[in-house]
DNA sequence: GCATGATCATGC
DNA sequence: GCATGATCATGC
């Protein structure tokens, strides 16, 4: 069996191509490679079964790539079809565990990450619900050579960012949302899986390098389909995303809303006027958040208005949720938690001066783990219970329905409020509302509290820089 | 003054 | 037609 590890690049390619169209069951039934120990062979996930049956490699946690001396790492990873027909990755691609005690001593190209993952043989299988894992079919393969990748510069920047945190003695503050394509995801049963770090006594969560779900989705769309119509912001430049963003920001910093509307020929009274302006700053026809780079990095742009007295009047909305989706999820795996844990928000700050809003700067931010796990969780579970028990309307006064949803003052971080065209714009309720008997209800969404947003900016001393 | 329910313009 | 980003407007 060990022989499998010595396959050369061509052999690996041929074997990979031979697997296309086959399920794990198909591959196992072919018995190209005899596995002596059935018990061992049946353990583990699909990736391990493919390693064993297709390539004859024993499951290992070697620090070397799976194939040596070819220097190729094998990864089997799922993608799925979304309701709207688009494809997306089903998971992040987990790479090697980060050894905080040693990895910081290396440069990017001499790092353990690079040694193990610079060339990855990807096998994609299509995940489908309610199907036995072993019946899922491998549909595509791709040899990922990072040295040749157009994303190399960003990946290196991400690696450096993670290493910088280790060097600052802040390994315990690393978040997957810190970076763009290469992330540092938690790895271990729970938050008590910790390791030592070199420049601090605080134990840090065990983490592994990973290609973030959003980045894997872009690879899926690029190599499997549904990608060609996504707009890019980096056109004909060798700049990284951060460099390009900084260029754009410095170009428009200090200009007012009125000036920018004139410059971009925007004549509109839309409430989302600042959102339209920032798309135009980047020369984007569609929405800025829908461009390839923002999607890959899971960055959602949001505009913020600060009043003359420093107040932020409005909370920040999310897309409306479906009541039926909420009750079909649990906190551990719900959409909101997934989004907050993996998404970075790019705040575009407009400050009111002389009856106009001046574009000041941007700030990249992701919600601290602690706020997600305490305040947001509390709100989400209350929302779940309110919907699940059909206990939405508290009373009706002056024709307006007061609800039991978590309000602005009830939670430090977030609340629930309507978000639709009008009150008649509704989604179905899974359980009829007890008081009114309504079977559908005005669309609602989660909101990040305006006061919490204000605090974010204050904590950083008003510093609004991208770093 | 501020929390809360309601609503608007856009773009696909 | 509908989801979305966002702000408006009322009344406590």
């Amino acid at each position: 069996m060990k022989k499998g590890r010595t396959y050369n690049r061509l052999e690996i390619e041929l074997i990979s191509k031979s697997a296309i169209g086959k399920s794990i069951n198909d591959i196992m039934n072919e018995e190209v490679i005899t596995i002596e120990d059935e018990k061992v062979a049946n353990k583990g996930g699909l990736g391990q079964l493919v390693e064993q049956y297709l390539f004859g490699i024993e499951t290992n946690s070697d620090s070397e790539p799976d194939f040596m001396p070819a220097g190729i790492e094998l990864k089997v990873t799922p993608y799925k079809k979304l309701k709207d027909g688009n494809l997306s990755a089903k998971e992040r691609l987990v790479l090697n565990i980060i050894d905080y005690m040693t990895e910081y001593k290396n440069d990017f190209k001499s790092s353990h990450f690079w040694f193990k993952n610079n060339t990855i043989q990807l096998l994609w299988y299509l995940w489908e619900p309610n199907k036995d894992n072993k019946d899922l079919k491998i549909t595509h393969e791709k040899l990922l050579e990072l040295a040749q990748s157009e994303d190399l510069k960003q990946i290196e920047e991400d690696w450096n960012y993670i290493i910088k945190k280790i060097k600052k003695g802040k390994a315990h503050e690393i978040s997957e949302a810190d970076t763009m394509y290469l992330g540092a995801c938690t790895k271990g049963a729970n938050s008590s899986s910790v390791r030592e770090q070199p420049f601090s006594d605080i134990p840090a969560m065990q983490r592994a390098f990973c290609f973030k779900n959003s980045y894997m989705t872009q690879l899926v769309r690029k190599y499997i389909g549904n990608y060609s119509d996504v707009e890019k912001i980096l056109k004909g430049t060798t700049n990284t995303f951060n460099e390009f963003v900084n260029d754009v920001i410095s170009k428009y910093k200090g200009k007012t809303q009125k000036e920018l509307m004139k410059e971009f020929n925007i004549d509109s009274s839309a409430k989302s006027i600042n959102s339209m302006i920032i798309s135009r700053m980047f020369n984007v026809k569609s929405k800025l958040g829908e461009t390839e780079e923002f999607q890959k990095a899971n960055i959602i742009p949001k505009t913020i208005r600060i009043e003359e007295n420093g107040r932020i009047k409005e909370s920040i909305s999310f897309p409306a949720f479906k009541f039926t989706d909420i009750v079909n999820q649990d906190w551990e795996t719900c959409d909101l938690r997934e989004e907050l844990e993996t998404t970075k928000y790019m705040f575009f700050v407009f400050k009111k001066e002389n009856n106009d809003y001046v574009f000041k700067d941007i700030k990249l931010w992701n919600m601290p783990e602690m706020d997600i796990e305490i305040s947001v969780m509390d709100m989400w579970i209350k929302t779940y219970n309110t919907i699940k028990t059909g206990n939405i309307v508290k009373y009706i006064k002056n024709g307006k329905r007061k609800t039991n949803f978590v309000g602005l003052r009830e939670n430090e971080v977030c609340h629930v409020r309507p978000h639709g065209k009008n009150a008649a714009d509704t989604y179905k309720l899974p359980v009829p509302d007890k008081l009114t008997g309504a079977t559908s209800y005005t669309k609602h969404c989660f909101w990040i509290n305006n006061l919490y947003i204000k605090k974010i900016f204050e904590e950083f001393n008003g510093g609004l820089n991208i770093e």
Side-chain angles (χ1 to χ4, degrees):
Chain A
M1 281 203 303
K2 281 256 158 152
K3 193 178 66 182
R5 300 207 58 196
T6 64
Y7 284 131
N8 65 31
R9 183 175 278 237
L10 181 64
E11 289 166 330
I12 294 163
E13 187 188 339
L14 290 175
I15 296 172
S16 297
K17 290 209 159 93
S18 77
I20 289 173
K22 290 177 188 164
S23 67
I24 296 298
N25 267 332
D26 295 338
I27 292 169
M28 288 171 79
N29 289 335
E30 280 174 7
E31 291 187 70
V32 177
I33 289 149
T34 314
I35 303 288
E36 285 117 19
D37 188 344
E38 274 295 322
K39 273 187 203 154
V40 173
N42 278 309
K43 261 203 245 164
L46 285 190
Q48 287 176 19
L49 291 172
V50 169
E51 288 188 359
Q52 288 163 2
Y53 281 87
L54 191 64
F55 290 94
I57 309 176
E58 290 169 7
T59 301
N60 69 79
S61 52
D62 288 357
S63 58
E64 286 189 332
D66 294 320
F67 299 103
M68 288 301 279
I72 295 176
E73 175 75 1
L74 180 69
K75 290 288 178 191
V76 184
T77 189
Y79 68 99
K80 63 181 177 180
K81 200 172 253 179
L82 301 174
K83 280 180 205 145
D84 63 9
N86 283 319
L87 301 181
S88 84
K90 184 164 177 292
E91 300 164 359
R92 55 173 75 75
L93 187 70
V94 180
L95 307 169
N96 59 307
I97 290 213
I98 306 173
D99 185 341
Y100 300 126
M101 301 305 285
T102 59
E103 186 76 333
Y104 75 92
K105 296 174 184 166
N106 301 314
D107 293 326
F108 179 62
K109 287 286 178 70
S110 63
S111 67
H112 186 221
F113 159 78
W114 185 259
F115 174 63
K116 190 161 168 72
N117 304 296
N118 76 79
T119 309
I120 297 173
Q121 175 65 57
L122 275 180
L123 289 177
W124 266 296
Y125 63 94
L126 177 61
W127 178 85
E128 295 169 88
N130 311 319
K131 219 171 171 179
D132 191 283
N133 269 355
K134 287 181 181 173
D135 289 328
L136 301 175
K137 280 189 174 149
I138 293 169
T139 64
H140 293 76
E141 61 88 26
K142 167 79 188 167
L143 189 69
L144 268 193
E145 294 178 274
L146 297 189
Q148 320 295 328
S149 167
E150 59 177 351
D151 303 323
L152 177 64
K153 220 174 160 186
Q154 185 61 57
I155 291 168
E156 181 168 355
E157 205 170 274
D158 290 341
W159 185 88
N160 280 319
Y161 188 91
I162 294 164
I163 296 304
K164 206 168 74 187
K165 272 206 167 167
I166 299 173
K167 285 183 175 168
K168 281 184 185 164
K170 292 190 168 176
H172 55 289
E173 288 180 11
I174 292 173
S175 156
E176 186 173 347
D178 282 346
T179 48
M180 302 266 297
Y181 299 168
L182 181 70
C185 63
T186 55
K187 174 93 178 168
N190 50 53
S191 55
S192 64
S193 304
V194 290
R195 317 186 133 214
E196 58 175 339
Q197 56 173 314
F199 302 110
S200 166
D201 292 334
I202 305 170
M205 286 258 284
Q206 175 164 285
R207 286 178 187 274
F209 287 115
C210 70
F211 286 138
K212 296 168 65 163
N213 194 322
S214 51
Y215 181 60
M216 290 307 291
T217 291
Q218 297 311 311
L219 293 183
V220 165
R221 292 181 182 176
K222 184 166 184 175
Y223 295 115
I224 302 181
N226 285 338
Y227 191 71
S228 52
D229 52 347
V230 177
E231 193 171 0
K232 273 190 165 194
I233 59 168
L234 294 171
K235 301 163 198 155
T237 167
T238 55
N239 282 355
T240 63
F241 180 79
N242 279 356
E243 290 165 349
F244 185 73
V245 169
N246 279 324
D247 284 354
V248 171
I249 299 320
S250 54
K251 187 170 170 193
Y252 296 109
K253 207 182 274 187
K255 295 200 178 184
T256 68
Q257 190 187 67
K258 283 177 188 156
E259 286 167 351
L260 292 164
M261 284 174 73
K262 204 175 164 198
E263 182 164 348
F264 298 133
N265 269 320
I266 302 172
D267 179 20
S268 164
S269 58
K271 289 175 178 174
S272 51
I273 184 72
N274 285 344
S275 175
M276 293 161 71
I277 287 174
I278 63 170
S279 291
R280 301 297 303 277
M281 283 183 187
F282 287 81
N283 201 16
V284 163
K285 289 193 203 85
S286 58
K287 289 180 186 169
L288 185 58
E290 288 171 5
T291 58
E292 181 179 327
E293 292 84 355
F294 276 78
Q295 298 254 315
K296 267 186 185 171
N298 235 356
I299 293 178
I300 296 182
K302 294 281 181 192
T303 62
I304 303 275
R305 294 186 320 183
I306 301 181
E307 301 309 304
E308 275 160 325
N309 63 6
R311 182 163 185 260
I312 295 175
K313 268 201 288 203
E314 303 296 343
S315 299
I316 294 176
S317 67
F318 284 70
F321 56 68
K322 291 197 170 73
F323 301 109
T324 46
D325 282 352
I326 300 289
V327 296
N328 279 325
Q329 297 177 352
D330 53 43
W331 166 249
E332 299 303 316
T333 56
C334 70
D335 295 339
L336 180 65
R337 185 178 185 212
E338 163 92 17
E339 170 169 337
L340 292 174
E341 278 184 346
T342 59
T343 306
K344 252 203 274 222
Y345 297 89
M346 186 179 281
F347 295 126
F348 288 76
V349 181
F350 291 78
K351 186 150 196 286
K352 192 164 191 181
E353 287 172 6
N354 306 317
N355 224 25
D356 201 349
Y357 286 95
V358 183
F359 172 58
K360 286 294 185 184
D361 209 339
I362 61 166
K363 175 174 180 54
L364 267 181
W365 173 86
N366 59 274
M367 190 177 283
E369 202 76 23
M370 193 105 88
D371 291 339
I372 300 174
E373 293 306 322
I374 296 172
S375 301
V376 180
M377 180 178 82
D378 184 67
M379 177 209 62
W380 192 91
I381 289 172
K382 282 180 176 153
T383 305
Y384 175 96
N385 287 331
T386 300
I387 301 170
K388 188 90 177 175
T389 57
N391 204 18
I392 295 176
V393 181
K394 197 189 279 176
Y395 59 86
I396 301 176
K397 195 168 185 184
N398 298 325
K400 289 191 176 182
R401 300 162 301 179
K402 294 282 166 186
T403 73
N404 287 307
F405 285 126
V406 174
L408 183 64
R409 280 177 304 177
E410 277 179 73
N411 191 289
E412 262 189 86
V413 178
C414 49
H415 64 281
V416 175
R417 253 175 44 220
H419 184 182
K421 191 173 177 294
N422 52 39
D425 189 14
T426 61
Y427 278 132
K428 279 209 179 70
L429 289 175
V431 178
D433 181 58
K434 273 185 194 161
L435 192 76
T436 62
T439 53
S440 59
Y441 204 82
T442 307
K443 291 174 186 172
H444 275 59
C445 76
F446 299 113
W447 298 77
I448 301 184
N449 298 354
N450 56 343
L451 289 174
Y452 177 74
I453 300 293
K454 183 163 188 261
K455 222 171 63 186
I456 294 168
F457 286 102
E458 281 167 357
E459 271 173 18
F460 290 87
N461 246 340
L464 296 170
N465 291 324
I466 185 166
E467 247 307 302

